[in-house]
PDB file of all heavy atoms in Angstrom:
ATOM      1  N   ILE A1332       6.298 -18.461  21.642  1.00  0.00           N
ATOM      2  CA  ILE A1332       6.853 -17.169  21.202  1.00  0.00           C
ATOM      3  C   ILE A1332       8.359 -17.444  20.931  1.00  0.00           C
ATOM      4  O   ILE A1332       8.925 -17.062  19.921  1.00  0.00           O
ATOM      5  CB  ILE A1332       6.868 -16.060  22.343  1.00  0.00           C
ATOM      6  CG1 ILE A1332       5.374 -15.607  22.630  1.00  0.00           C
ATOM      7  CG2 ILE A1332       7.678 -14.836  21.907  1.00  0.00           C
ATOM      8  CD1 ILE A1332       5.230 -14.688  23.849  1.00  0.00           C
ATOM      9  N   GLU A1333       9.159 -18.244  21.721  1.00  0.00           N
ATOM     10  CA  GLU A1333      10.432 -18.637  21.557  1.00  0.00           C
ATOM     11  C   GLU A1333      10.687 -19.368  20.169  1.00  0.00           C
ATOM     12  O   GLU A1333      11.440 -18.988  19.243  1.00  0.00           O
ATOM     13  CB  GLU A1333      10.857 -19.568  22.692  1.00  0.00           C
ATOM     14  CG  GLU A1333      12.264 -20.085  22.511  1.00  0.00           C
ATOM     15  CD  GLU A1333      13.400 -18.968  22.448  1.00  0.00           C
ATOM     16  OE1 GLU A1333      13.292 -17.962  23.415  1.00  0.00           O
ATOM     17  OE2 GLU A1333      14.385 -18.991  21.806  1.00  0.00           O
ATOM     18  N   ALA A1334       9.656 -20.113  19.918  1.00  0.00           N
ATOM     19  CA  ALA A1334       9.724 -20.939  18.576  1.00  0.00           C
ATOM     20  C   ALA A1334       9.423 -19.884  17.443  1.00  0.00           C
ATOM     21  O   ALA A1334      10.138 -20.011  16.400  1.00  0.00           O
ATOM     22  CB  ALA A1334       8.560 -21.981  18.519  1.00  0.00           C
ATOM     23  N   ALA A1335       8.544 -18.971  17.580  1.00  0.00           N
ATOM     24  CA  ALA A1335       8.299 -17.883  16.498  1.00  0.00           C
ATOM     25  C   ALA A1335       9.564 -17.148  16.296  1.00  0.00           C
ATOM     26  O   ALA A1335       9.796 -16.832  15.016  1.00  0.00           O
ATOM     27  CB  ALA A1335       7.179 -16.985  16.967  1.00  0.00           C
ATOM     28  N   THR A1336      10.477 -16.884  17.154  1.00  0.00           N
ATOM     29  CA  THR A1336      11.691 -16.217  16.917  1.00  0.00           C
ATOM     30  C   THR A1336      12.551 -16.911  15.924  1.00  0.00           C
ATOM     31  O   THR A1336      13.518 -16.364  15.321  1.00  0.00           O
ATOM     32  CB  THR A1336      12.591 -15.883  18.253  1.00  0.00           C
ATOM     33  OG1 THR A1336      12.950 -17.047  18.813  1.00  0.00           O
ATOM     34  CG2 THR A1336      11.647 -15.090  19.287  1.00  0.00           C
ATOM     35  N   GLN A1337      12.373 -18.296  15.900  1.00  0.00           N
ATOM     36  CA  GLN A1337      13.246 -19.022  15.018  1.00  0.00           C
ATOM     37  C   GLN A1337      12.572 -19.305  13.650  1.00  0.00           C
ATOM     38  O   GLN A1337      13.194 -19.792  12.667  1.00  0.00           O
ATOM     39  CB  GLN A1337      13.514 -20.281  15.599  1.00  0.00           C
ATOM     40  CG  GLN A1337      14.393 -20.162  16.903  1.00  0.00           C
ATOM     41  CD  GLN A1337      14.363 -21.574  17.538  1.00  0.00           C
ATOM     42  OE1 GLN A1337      14.815 -22.522  17.076  1.00  0.00           O
ATOM     43  NE2 GLN A1337      14.150 -21.515  18.903  1.00  0.00           N
ATOM     44  N   SER A1338      11.484 -18.769  13.277  1.00  0.00           N
ATOM     45  CA  SER A1338      10.734 -18.817  12.002  1.00  0.00           C
ATOM     46  C   SER A1338      11.362 -17.774  11.136  1.00  0.00           C
ATOM     47  O   SER A1338      12.124 -16.819  11.735  1.00  0.00           O
ATOM     48  CB  SER A1338       9.332 -18.659  12.059  1.00  0.00           C
ATOM     49  OG  SER A1338       8.993 -17.369  12.540  1.00  0.00           O
ATOM     50  N   GLN A1339      11.167 -17.710   9.865  1.00  0.00           N
ATOM     51  CA  GLN A1339      11.747 -16.708   8.956  1.00  0.00           C
ATOM     52  C   GLN A1339      11.377 -15.337   9.238  1.00  0.00           C
ATOM     53  O   GLN A1339      12.087 -14.317   9.163  1.00  0.00           O
ATOM     54  CB  GLN A1339      11.437 -17.013   7.420  1.00  0.00           C
ATOM     55  CG  GLN A1339      12.050 -18.382   7.049  1.00  0.00           C
ATOM     56  CD  GLN A1339      13.567 -18.264   6.898  1.00  0.00           C
ATOM     57  OE1 GLN A1339      14.060 -17.334   6.352  1.00  0.00           O
ATOM     58  NE2 GLN A1339      14.336 -19.223   7.514  1.00  0.00           N
ATOM     59  N   PHE A1340       9.963 -15.304   9.303  1.00  0.00           N
ATOM     60  CA  PHE A1340       9.428 -13.904   9.706  1.00  0.00           C
ATOM     61  C   PHE A1340       8.243 -13.914  10.618  1.00  0.00           C
ATOM     62  O   PHE A1340       7.428 -14.704  10.492  1.00  0.00           O
ATOM     63  CB  PHE A1340       8.830 -13.326   8.306  1.00  0.00           C
ATOM     64  CG  PHE A1340       8.317 -11.803   8.469  1.00  0.00           C
ATOM     65  CD1 PHE A1340       9.266 -10.788   8.373  1.00  0.00           C
ATOM     66  CD2 PHE A1340       7.045 -11.542   8.573  1.00  0.00           C
ATOM     67  CE1 PHE A1340       8.622  -9.534   8.542  1.00  0.00           C
ATOM     68  CE2 PHE A1340       6.489 -10.287   8.718  1.00  0.00           C
ATOM     69  CZ  PHE A1340       7.362  -9.295   8.724  1.00  0.00           C
ATOM     70  N   SER A1341       8.397 -13.139  11.815  1.00  0.00           N
ATOM     71  CA  SER A1341       7.487 -13.436  12.756  1.00  0.00           C
ATOM     72  C   SER A1341       6.722 -12.087  13.141  1.00  0.00           C
ATOM     73  O   SER A1341       7.381 -11.076  13.180  1.00  0.00           O
ATOM     74  CB  SER A1341       8.147 -13.858  14.016  1.00  0.00           C
ATOM     75  OG  SER A1341       9.243 -13.045  14.344  1.00  0.00           O
ATOM     76  N   VAL A1342       5.377 -12.166  13.283  1.00  0.00           N
ATOM     77  CA  VAL A1342       4.526 -11.145  13.687  1.00  0.00           C
ATOM     78  C   VAL A1342       3.794 -11.426  14.929  1.00  0.00           C
ATOM     79  O   VAL A1342       3.194 -12.570  14.913  1.00  0.00           O
ATOM     80  CB  VAL A1342       3.681 -10.688  12.524  1.00  0.00           C
ATOM     81  CG1 VAL A1342       2.685  -9.566  13.054  1.00  0.00           C
ATOM     82  CG2 VAL A1342       4.360 -10.126  11.291  1.00  0.00           C
ATOM     83  N   ILE A1343       3.840 -10.621  15.892  1.00  0.00           N
ATOM     84  CA  ILE A1343       3.038 -10.796  17.121  1.00  0.00           C
ATOM     85  C   ILE A1343       1.917  -9.730  17.151  1.00  0.00           C
ATOM     86  O   ILE A1343       2.197  -8.482  17.135  1.00  0.00           O
ATOM     87  CB  ILE A1343       3.954 -10.787  18.349  1.00  0.00           C
ATOM     88  CG1 ILE A1343       5.068 -11.779  18.375  1.00  0.00           C
ATOM     89  CG2 ILE A1343       3.000 -10.906  19.639  1.00  0.00           C
ATOM     90  CD1 ILE A1343       4.851 -13.156  18.821  1.00  0.00           C
ATOM     91  N   GLY A1344       0.670 -10.249  17.233  1.00  0.00           N
ATOM     92  CA  GLY A1344      -0.381  -9.321  17.436  1.00  0.00           C
ATOM     93  C   GLY A1344      -0.343  -8.642  18.746  1.00  0.00           C
ATOM     94  O   GLY A1344       0.222  -9.209  19.659  1.00  0.00           O
ATOM     95  N   GLY A1345      -1.098  -7.581  18.860  1.00  0.00           N
ATOM     96  CA  GLY A1345      -1.012  -6.790  20.205  1.00  0.00           C
ATOM     97  C   GLY A1345      -1.812  -7.373  21.282  1.00  0.00           C
ATOM     98  O   GLY A1345      -2.280  -8.547  21.335  1.00  0.00           O
ATOM     99  N   GLY A1346      -1.999  -6.555  22.357  1.00  0.00           N
ATOM    100  CA  GLY A1346      -2.764  -6.941  23.450  1.00  0.00           C
ATOM    101  C   GLY A1346      -1.771  -7.854  24.479  1.00  0.00           C
ATOM    102  O   GLY A1346      -0.654  -7.587  24.575  1.00  0.00           O
ATOM    103  N   HIS A1347      -2.492  -8.879  25.035  1.00  0.00           N
ATOM    104  CA  HIS A1347      -1.897  -9.589  26.173  1.00  0.00           C
ATOM    105  C   HIS A1347      -0.585 -10.292  25.714  1.00  0.00           C
ATOM    106  O   HIS A1347       0.421 -10.421  26.392  1.00  0.00           O
ATOM    107  CB  HIS A1347      -2.704 -10.596  26.771  1.00  0.00           C
ATOM    108  CG  HIS A1347      -3.911  -9.907  27.653  1.00  0.00           C
ATOM    109  ND1 HIS A1347      -4.650  -8.951  27.038  1.00  0.00           N
ATOM    110  CD2 HIS A1347      -4.094  -9.947  28.975  1.00  0.00           C
ATOM    111  CE1 HIS A1347      -5.320  -8.585  28.097  1.00  0.00           C
ATOM    112  NE2 HIS A1347      -5.087  -9.114  29.164  1.00  0.00           N
ATOM    113  N   ILE A1348      -0.405 -10.792  24.490  1.00  0.00           N
ATOM    114  CA  ILE A1348       0.663 -11.595  23.957  1.00  0.00           C
ATOM    115  C   ILE A1348       1.843 -10.573  23.667  1.00  0.00           C
ATOM    116  O   ILE A1348       2.983 -10.889  24.053  1.00  0.00           O
ATOM    117  CB  ILE A1348       0.442 -12.500  22.831  1.00  0.00           C
ATOM    118  CG1 ILE A1348       1.552 -13.443  22.629  1.00  0.00           C
ATOM    119  CG2 ILE A1348       0.044 -11.652  21.568  1.00  0.00           C
ATOM    120  CD1 ILE A1348       1.248 -14.674  21.768  1.00  0.00           C
ATOM    121  N   ALA A1349       1.424  -9.308  23.268  1.00  0.00           N
ATOM    122  CA  ALA A1349       2.552  -8.439  23.008  1.00  0.00           C
ATOM    123  C   ALA A1349       3.244  -7.936  24.466  1.00  0.00           C
ATOM    124  O   ALA A1349       4.443  -7.793  24.504  1.00  0.00           O
ATOM    125  CB  ALA A1349       2.028  -7.228  22.405  1.00  0.00           C
TER     126      ALA A1349
END
Side-chain angles (χ1 to χ4, degrees):
I1332 295 171
E1333 178 62 44
T1336 66
Q1337 295 175 49
S1338 66
Q1339 295 290 310
F1340 184 80
S1341 52
V1342 173
I1343 302 270
H1347 287 61
I1348 192 161

